[in-house]
Amino acid sequence: MFTFDYSHSAVYLLFCYGKYTYRGTRILIFGEEHVTTERNSLMKQHRLITGFTTLAAVLFLGACGNSGNSADSQKSSSESTQQTTSSSSVDLNSLELPQLSDKVTADETVVEMETTAGNIKIKLFPKIAPKAVENFVTHAKEGYYNGTKFHRAVEDFMIQGGDPNGDGTGGESIWGEGFELEASDQLYNIRGALAMARSQDPNSNGSQFFIIQNDEDKSDGLAKQYYPEAIIEAYKKGGMPALDGQYTVFGQVIDNGMETVDKIATAEKTDEPNSLGEYATLKKEVKINKINIIQEAK
């Protein structure tokens, strides 16, 4: 279900994925606290997460669901995940799930993001998401992220950065063009997941990324035929399963890194909404000083 609104000479596309509503030329994924009526009395809006913007781009995530029902949201998420996995032929519970351990293996890359709010240690998964990892690591080595800020911080959702423009409108990949979605049934949007932000086009991954911060139980309604049991258990500690299969997850925060992520997400925001109408701009900017490569995958 989607609706076009031609008001103010601009075209806006609104549609839903589970409980989440998406609107306009930026990516909007709304949380659970606001109700907005559009021209055709559209569904509930929710707090924002991950947005990468181009002038004419809108987010597309797939089928719509009942935005007012949490269980329906999780069901929609499961149905979406079914499209990106081979659960009918693969035993999901036999898969390696590298996010669930702080242990670092030889085929994983480890980075430490030094920010003005503290450090965030992250392990990356080049075997599963090779292009996203290559892009992120190359940018890190070349200092592309140095001095960039977390331009969006939404408590109980995510923090987003990686835009040299600092407002969600910029950034590009190391190839100078967007690269494709790398979906996997081994990686999920659990708490601490590092993923690429993108526009409507699944081949539009650039430089922006987000880290899932939500720590509320999101396991309700997740179907075992679509999710490994260990991942369902992990979602009890937080995450955003409605995003599974729609964004490239390529890393996981480890050790004490989530302390810094939580600090950023819960920091005081300005009283001015950003261009999206969300109060997600940090009153005191948090910037990335540099990203150190601690271990490269063999």
Side-chain angles (χ1 to χ4, degrees), residues 87-269:
S87 58
S88 61
S89 58
V90 174
D91 179 5
L92 294 176
N93 293 313
S94 69
L95 293 174
E96 180 184 357
L97 303 170
Q99 290 173 282
L100 302 185
S101 172
D102 275 1
K103 181 180 178 181
V104 177
T105 61
D107 60 358
E108 295 173 343
T109 294
V110 180
V111 301
E112 187 165 42
M113 185 181 295
E114 295 184 8
T115 82
T116 54
N119 293 357
I120 305 172
K121 193 173 183 181
I122 309 167
K123 66 175 183 175
L124 311 177
F125 310 114
K127 285 180 60 177
I128 306 174
K131 295 200 75 171
V133 173
E134 180 184 359
N135 182 68
F136 186 84
V137 171
T138 302
H139 272 329
K141 288 180 177 179
E142 295 178 350
Y144 186 89
Y145 294 124
N146 296 1
T148 61
K149 66 181 181 180
F150 286 95
H151 61 275
R152 299 175 71 186
V154 184
E155 186 175 354
D156 299 326
F157 230 140
M158 60 86 224
I159 60 173
Q160 182 178 337
D163 175 17
N165 290 352
D167 59 4
T169 64
E172 64 179 10
S173 76
I174 60 174
W175 300 285
E177 59 184 5
F179 62 94
E180 65 272 16
L181 169 70
E182 296 176 297
S184 171
D185 50 15
Q186 291 180 267
L187 300 174
Y188 298 82
N189 287 275
I190 62 175
R191 173 172 162 82
L194 171 68
M196 295 298 301
R198 65 172 178 85
S199 68
Q200 173 189 10
D201 182 359
N203 299 321
S204 63
N205 291 318
S207 67
Q208 292 191 46
F209 58 84
F210 61 94
I211 299 174
I212 298 291
Q213 183 266 337
N214 174 60
D215 61 1
E216 297 177 356
D217 186 346
K218 293 294 182 180
S219 64
D220 184 38
L222 297 183
K224 291 183 179 179
Q225 64 265 42
Y226 305 140
Y227 281 89
E229 292 180 13
I231 292 296
I232 295 177
E233 190 67 23
Y235 271 123
K236 292 182 179 180
K237 299 179 181 179
M240 283 293 152
L243 305 183
D244 289 338
Q246 310 303 321
Y247 296 90
T248 299
V249 176
F250 66 100
Q252 183 70 28
V253 176
I254 59 173
D255 296 344
N256 298 320
M258 286 307 294
E259 292 180 4
T260 299
V261 174
D262 287 334
K263 182 179 179 181
I264 297 171
T266 60
E268 186 177 2
K269 312 302 190 299

Side-chain angles (χ1 to χ4, degrees), residues 1-7 10-16 21-25 37-43 45 58-60 62 64:
M1 178 177 67
F2 56 89
T3 300
F4 287 98
D5 180 356
Y6 294 90
S7 61
V11 178
Y12 289 97
L13 175 64
L14 282 87
F15 59 101
C16 63
T21 301
Y22 306 85
R23 181 180 191 271
T25 57
T37 301
E38 293 292 337
R39 176 171 293 178
N40 294 319
S41 297
L42 296 169
M43 71 288 298
Q45 292 189 344
V58 290
L59 174 66
F60 177 75
C64 292

